[in-house]
Each structure stands twice: as structure tokens, then as C-alpha cells.
Amino acid sequence: MTILRMDNVAVVVDDLDAAVAFFTELGMELEGKAQIEGLYADRTVGLDGVRSDIAMMRTPDGHSKLELTKYHTPAVSDAEPRNPPPNTLGLHRVMFAVDDIDDTIARLRAHGAELLGEVAQYENIYRLCNLRGPAGIIVALAEQIG
């Protein structure tokens, strides 16, 4: 037996509207919003009294999704350190291919994004960067140039 596909990556955020605005600016499309609660939610995530709002974001090609989750109950558990470095164990980053990395960075800065380093070039193939996005997640951008 094999998997059929990777369905989505979920990110817990503290400001759902700001996260939706950030990823909309990046070029993702809001597929829908929902409130999640009840016994099935408790059993699925292994917490009691789950009440959360989610926003499902979709890439323009329709192949990838990002689930943004805002927990109301139980209270959010803050990760330590707040903005872990890129070499921290666990989920490292989410990467997106973009057509204009400089324009994308400029637009995302208006939503609080900060470059972790600088835009670097890999051979004559890509321009790449990492930036810090909503809830401290690392968002990588890649512009193919060759």
C-alpha cells in the first residue's frame, strides 16, 4: 500500500486573518474557512475541548494546500524559543516557487515578513531566500532563473 498524495501542511497561528492575508499576498487562494470542534476533533488531535478556526489555502496550480489553524481552546502552547533557528529539529520550512522573488519579498514585508539572511543565487539556476512569516514559520522562496 502507498500513499495517494500529501494533502496539506498545517500551521498553528495566533492571528488567522493576518496569516490569511500573508499567504494571499504570496499568491495562495483561500479555499474556505471552518470552525472545528467536537469529539472527533478531540480524538483526532489528542486534546480535550478543542475549538479552533481553520482557513484552507490553496496554491494557484491546485496541487498543494496549507491549513492555517487558530486554536481558541485549549490555550495555545507557545514554542520555545519563539522564533527557532533554521537548524531546529522538526518542521523546517515551507517553500514556494515564485516568478519574481524581489517583488514577492517587498509585498510580504508589508505583512511583517523579515529576511533571515539575504537573497542568494545557486549557480545559474535559482535565486533563493528564507524569511520569517506568520507565527514565526520559515517561508522559503525560489525563483528559477536558468
Side-chain angles (χ1 to χ4, degrees):
M1 169 143 318
T2 62
I3 63 170
L4 300 176
R5 68 180 180 277
M6 187 176 94
D7 194 58
N8 69 64
V9 173
V11 176
V12 176
V13 299
D14 53 356
D15 186 336
L16 188 60
D17 291 334
V20 167
F22 179 92
F23 287 104
T24 299
E25 188 67 49
L26 181 58
M28 297 189 85
E29 301 166 7
L30 178 62
E31 188 172 83
K33 288 185 173 183
Q35 187 172 70
I36 307 298
E37 62 185 329
L39 188 56
Y40 84 95
D42 293 359
R43 287 181 173 171
T44 300
V45 300
L47 297 170
D48 291 326
V50 169
R51 189 173 61 81
S52 64
D53 291 319
I54 67 166
M56 191 64 73
M57 306 296 294
R58 179 183 59 238
T59 56
D61 66 3
H63 294 292
S64 302
K65 295 180 184 180
L66 186 65
E67 178 185 306
L68 303 171
T69 304
K70 162 73 175 164
Y71 278 89
H72 299 286
T73 60
V76 174
S77 175
D78 205 9
E80 292 294 330
R82 178 76 169 138
N83 291 317
N87 62 342
T88 302
L89 291 174
L91 180 64
H92 178 67
R93 60 156 169 75
V94 178
M95 180 175 258
F96 296 94
V98 298
D99 60 0
D100 184 336
I101 200 167
D102 297 314
D103 177 64
T104 303
I105 293 166
R107 290 184 295 108
L108 293 178
R109 278 190 169 139
H111 293 272
E114 299 175 11
L115 279 172
L116 293 182
E118 59 188 60
V119 177
Q121 186 166 318
Y122 173 71
E123 298 182 354
N124 287 325
I125 303 171
Y126 290 103
R127 293 181 71 219
L128 305 158
C129 74
N130 284 337
L131 49 89
R132 185 90 48 198
I137 66 167
I138 297 173
V139 176
L141 303 176
E143 175 187 354
Q144 188 168 359
I145 56 175

